[in-house]
Amino acid sequence: MKTVRVGLLGFGNVGSGTYDTLKMNMGKIERETGVTFSIDKALVRDPSKPRRSEAPAAIFTCDAYDIIGNPDIDIVCELLGGIEPSTKYMLDAMKSGQHVVSANKAAIAANYPELTKTAKDNNVEFRIEASVCGGIPVLSCLTSVLGANDFSEIMGICNGTTNYILTQMTDFDLEYADVLKVAQEKGFAEADPTADVEGLDVANKLSILIALAFGKYVHPKDIPTTGITAITKDDIAAATARKCKIKLIGKATKHDDGSLEYSVEPVELPAAHPLAGVSNEFNAVFLTGNAVDDLMFYGKGAGPLPTGSAVAGDVLEIGKAIAKCEACDK
Ligand code: NDP
Ligand code: HSE
């Protein structure tokens, strides 16, 4: 059986979720793909730190270039966070002929044109399913089974942390700071949760959705963005009294003249609206395509295993392609 070798840059929430997903389902994966996947190395800052999942100590390294450019590693999964050194690591891996999978929407959204061009120039795969809405397979659908559509609108709840905070404040009258702490403990929040609560994480995701749905790159800094930090318990109580729920919504609309309008902001939705029922770390994305019409995706947008599911899915797709290529060459 073909063995595809994987290196993880990062073994935090998402790195460990990816490791656990592949480990718990490897028997089924091998049977269905005819490929086995081996996580040979994982980059961390502190190898002695306690981890969510049990991995052999021998896989940990503090040198990124034990993985990047290593001819024994086929796929590099960038799961670090932050724009640098993540972007440089991804570019260096691509230039050395390694396929790259990333969950890092901050780095992807900031450098989307350069990353996609470098992947193309070096004839390697660059897959990013986990970067938008964790476990929801919205990006792959946009580029595969929905690829025949012309899209006019995309709208969603794309951040698990803020949706968790708003849900808990609304349903249990809890304090913002206490709920944010729980979201961090559950592995939903960014290392610096400012990106979540200020809406910047949704702007990063919307930038990626716009690139894939509308074929246009918009830098996240150019997306008008308001987060949830100014939302008070009084705002929530007033919305509840009006039978509404406050949700952080990212939205992009294509007008008839082809121009795009986009924003990230808290919106008061009537309780009967389908997005009003999306609670806690769940996310949802509404799309409108000129053939498929209205479509809604729903699932867990954050957390180690839901996100690990998306990263592992990308790894599988690349592994299957590697095995197919080798079979054709024989
Ligand atoms: P964590 O902070 O939990 O993990 C980051 C990992 O990267 C840690 O293992 C850390 O090492 C390592 N690391 C970070 N910087 C460096 C560096 N410069 N050199 C070596 N190692 C480094 O983050 P998450 O797993 O939560 O997130 C990872 C990425 O996935 C981010 O881009 C995030 O936006 C994205 N993402 C997260 C989701 C989630 O639900 N958490 C969902 C979807 C995407 P050490 O452990 O030693 O500190
Ligand atoms: N911090 C992000 C969130 C992780 O809460 O949605 C998933 O992208």
Side-chain angles (χ1 to χ4, degrees), residues 9-17 43-52 60-64 78-82 84-86 89 102-107 130-135 161 186-192 196 201 205 301-308 311:
L9 303 180
F11 202 83
N13 294 305
V14 181
S16 61
L43 175 72
V44 291
R45 275 180 296 226
D46 176 5
S48 66
K49 200 164 140 181
R51 305 275 158 197
R52 277 178 191 271
F60 293 113
T61 175
C62 293
D63 180 357
E78 188 280 298
L79 314 169
L80 296 170
E84 289 298 350
S86 301
Y89 288 170
S102 179
N104 185 344
K105 57 267 169 169
S131 67
V132 175
C133 296
T161 302
K186 285 177 177 277
F188 306 153
E190 297 303 302
D192 175 0
D196 294 299
D201 180 70
K205 291 165 178 167
L305 281 178
T307 313
V311 175

Side-chain angles (χ1 to χ4, degrees), residues 124-197:
V124 294
E125 291 272 343
F126 177 46
R127 297 185 68 102
I128 57 173
E129 184 58 71
S131 67
V132 175
C133 296
I136 303 179
V138 60
L139 301 186
S140 309
C141 287
L142 277 174
T143 52
S144 59
V145 288
L146 295 174
N149 283 266
D150 187 17
F151 296 101
S152 53
E153 188 158 277
I154 188 155
M155 165 184 183
I157 294 173
C158 302
N159 183 270
T161 302
T162 46
N163 204 42
Y164 185 80
I165 292 172
L166 291 171
T167 304
Q168 295 284 314
M169 286 175 76
T170 306
D171 294 356
F172 304 107
D173 198 27
L174 297 177
E175 296 295 335
Y176 172 91
D178 295 339
V179 188
L180 172 57
K181 198 162 165 280
V182 179
Q184 288 174 297
E185 285 162 6
K186 285 177 177 277
F188 306 153
E190 297 303 302
D192 175 0
T194 312
D196 294 299
V197 296

